Amino acid sequence: MATAMNRPSKKHHFVPQAQLRNFSADPEQRFLYVLDKQTDRSFRTSILNAGSENDFNTVSVGARKWNFEDLFQKVDTRSAWLIAEILSRKSVAWLSENDRHALADLFATQMLRTHFSRTTPAHLADRLRDIARQLGYDPDQDPTMVAPSDTSLRLGAVRTFLHRSEQGVALLRLHPALYRANGSHQFIISDHPIALINAFPYGELGLTSHGILVVLPISPEIAIALHCPTIVKRYELAEQAGLAADQKERVLRYRDGLRSGNPIDIDEEAVLSLNHQQTVHSARYLYAAADTFDRTREALERQPHLRSVKAHLTLGDMGRPPKRRSGMPSGTYLVVQGPADHGMLTIEEIDPYGEGITARTDQVSLLAQMALDRGMLRAELYTDGRPMRAIGAAMIEPFGNTADGWFRVVHRGASMRELGKRLDRNGL
């Protein structure tokens, strides 16, 4: 007979208790406050009950039930020590190479252990089935398009966790820093506490995307932020940038924090913005050291679709143009992404009869920098925030008088460039 000492655990945490304790509302670290986005109800609950679900990390295979909660034990133990040290030292400058790997693994594991590891594949499968029906195809008649079972989703999540090295490598290229909330607003956390943000209006939300920022609050005062190298590069160039005095002071503060590893004091607007990202990324529950969810409730009133989030990505509808990027400014812009950097040119004029994307910009210095990149570029043309055309494996070729700012974006390979010319001539 199993005893209480060796009986497998039933309550499984998708946010570790050690992490939640840093958001406790009492000195003994026994409870915190929760907001249920679906019901709008906030309440006090124990650390044991928060961020957990009965049998969350179990799977039934035939007549047997497998409890895989112990798979997370090693990571959780190491991560608890790491976070405690960061909070104690209030710095990331001391991190060794092994500690950096442990930090990347902490982020990767937390990203892959929540409900989204199961609800996202289920959502994408449903969307594929919907698209098939729109095309007149019955997915129920195709065994390869059957909706995934709960067992397959759970086993898939385990496989993804066990093969998380790809995420770890992507996270290791990012530069760690600490953000400190030292005003009246504090950080909150959620049932999916890793937030992926892009610092640029055209940026994507992949771990290898240029401009990516990955943030994990680890206490009401401190959050760990992993920065894309291109963000760090822009901070390092702040001295040469023509910034207004207040903006320059802020940028230099971030630069100095990234250099030293000491906390970067962020303003209250930035704290509220990061808290909103917890609302956006969470499935249902938010956690905090105090029952102060008024801003979250206001956001949910404006964006009721955030009350229940099943996935952070989806598939678009067939035959419909891409959606407008809300952060992109009005006007025409060319976004250029290379192997090591990226940028956005303001377009003043387009030659509709020119090769590839033939256009003129007033930003001749930035154009010259982009043209020097010998890597394979990807260029996307936007008008009022909507993507109009894209060319991959491309290069930028200025022509005419340099000061005039005329250039063309064409395929770097000769054969692809020739094919592009033919397609342009035929209006395709």
Side-chain angles (χ1 to χ4, degrees):
M1 179 182 296
T3 67
M5 294 296 291
N6 60 20
R7 186 181 301 127
S9 61
K10 183 177 178 67
K11 191 175 292 293
H12 300 159
H13 282 80
F14 38 83
V15 182
Q17 294 184 72
Q19 199 164 324
L20 292 168
R21 287 192 190 99
N22 294 323
F23 291 84
S24 59
D26 62 319
E28 293 78 20
Q29 298 187 321
R30 294 176 302 182
F31 70 88
L32 47 57
Y33 288 94
V34 184
L35 175 68
D36 183 338
K37 294 196 300 182
Q38 292 184 10
T39 66
D40 218 24
R41 186 173 74 94
S42 59
F43 53 93
R44 196 178 89 163
T45 193
S46 69
I47 300 293
L48 179 63
N49 287 329
S52 70
E53 187 175 300
N54 286 345
D55 292 323
F56 184 71
N57 291 325
T58 61
V59 59
S60 296
V61 182
R64 300 184 62 184
K65 180 181 283 189
W66 176 37
N67 183 332
F68 55 89
E69 172 77 353
D70 287 347
L71 287 179
F72 300 100
Q73 184 173 351
K74 182 178 179 180
V75 178
D76 287 349
T77 300
R78 184 178 58 197
S79 299
W81 174 86
L82 188 64
I83 289 177
E85 285 294 303
I86 290 173
L87 290 175
S88 174
R89 302 189 191 201
K90 288 188 168 48
S91 171
V92 289
W94 60 274
L95 294 175
S96 67
E97 183 178 351
N98 285 339
D99 295 328
R100 286 289 307 276
H101 279 267
L103 183 65
D105 199 32
L106 184 166
F107 272 73
T109 298
Q110 185 58 79
M111 288 176 60
L112 299 173
R113 73 188 301 173
T114 68
H115 285 83
F116 290 101
S117 65
R118 305 167 195 184
T119 57
T120 297
H123 168 78
L124 294 177
D126 286 344
R127 287 292 297 129
L128 280 173
R129 288 165 59 82
D130 289 342
I131 291 170
R133 292 189 186 96
Q134 292 171 19
L135 297 174
Y137 183 77
D138 185 0
D140 293 330
Q141 302 303 312
D142 187 341
T144 65
M145 295 193 71
V146 65
S149 66
D150 180 68
T151 295
S152 67
L153 291 169
R154 289 175 184 247
L155 290 174
V158 173
R159 282 192 295 270
T160 303
F161 167 71
L162 293 176
H163 297 90
R164 64 192 183 281
S165 58
E166 183 179 347
Q167 288 84 357
V169 170
L171 289 160
L172 275 172
R173 78 180 185 92
L174 306 180
H175 294 250
L178 299 181
Y179 289 172
R180 178 165 57 196
N182 61 358
S184 59
H185 295 286
Q186 295 185 315
F187 293 122
I188 63 175
I189 197 170
S190 73
D191 56 21
H192 186 84
I194 300 286
L196 274 65
I197 310 160
N198 202 294
F200 300 89
Y202 51 81
E204 304 292 343
L205 294 178
L207 291 178
T208 59
S209 300
H210 286 323
I212 196 67
L213 183 67
V214 187
V215 183
L216 171 65
I218 58 173
S219 79
E221 181 189 17
I222 299 291
I224 304 174
L226 306 181
H227 298 72
C228 173
T230 65
I231 298 176
V232 179
K233 179 179 179 180
R234 281 155 177 76
Y235 286 143
E236 289 293 340
L237 295 173
E239 292 280 14
Q240 290 79 45
L243 302 174
D246 58 340
Q247 187 180 7
K248 187 171 185 178
E249 186 277 331
R250 174 184 173 277
V251 171
L252 292 177
R253 189 169 71 247
Y254 277 70
R255 183 204 65 182
D256 293 344
L258 279 159
R259 285 179 176 179
S260 68
N262 297 327
I264 302 167
D265 290 326
I266 65 173
D267 58 38
E268 299 210 339
E269 183 179 345
V271 175
L272 292 174
S273 177
L274 291 175
N275 285 347
H276 181 65
Q277 290 299 321
Q278 292 294 314
T279 305
V280 170
H281 284 79
S282 58
R284 180 171 179 176
Y285 297 106
L286 297 162
Y287 312 111
D291 190 359
T292 52
F293 296 107
D294 291 345
R295 295 295 185 114
T296 303
R297 288 189 171 98
E298 292 172 6
L300 292 172
E301 283 292 322
R302 295 190 301 269
Q303 300 172 285
H305 65 280
L306 295 178
R307 293 189 181 278
S308 179
V309 181
K310 298 295 184 184
H312 296 142
L313 68 160
T314 190
L315 300 175
D317 293 321
M318 293 289 292
R320 293 190 179 181
K323 292 183 178 179
R324 184 186 188 279
R325 284 188 177 269
S326 59
M328 286 288 286
S330 299
T332 302
Y333 295 87
L334 185 74
V335 172
V336 179
Q337 308 219 31
D341 210 344
H342 56 101
M344 184 168 72
L345 285 170
T346 303
I347 301 302
E348 305 298 334
E349 188 177 353
I350 293 178
D351 179 359
Y353 303 106
E355 180 187 358
I357 299 173
T358 299
R360 182 177 66 83
T361 181
D362 287 341
Q363 296 172 288
V364 291
S365 296
L366 180 57
L367 172 64
Q369 293 176 37
M370 291 179 171
L372 289 173
D373 193 326
R374 298 305 175 193
M376 291 294 188
L377 307 180
R378 176 174 174 79
E380 294 177 286
L381 186 67
Y382 286 83
T383 299
D384 295 332
R386 290 191 180 277
M388 307 302 292
R389 185 175 181 184
I391 300 180
M395 63 180 179
I396 293 179
E397 190 176 75
F399 63 90
N401 188 329
T402 304
D404 291 340
W406 278 98
F407 67 96
R408 58 179 71 93
V409 180
V410 295
H411 290 289
R412 189 174 289 279
S415 59
M416 285 299 296
R417 182 169 184 175
E418 183 59 34
L419 176 60
K421 287 181 181 179
R422 295 180 184 180
L423 293 174
D424 287 340
R425 284 196 295 268
N426 292 325
L428 299 176

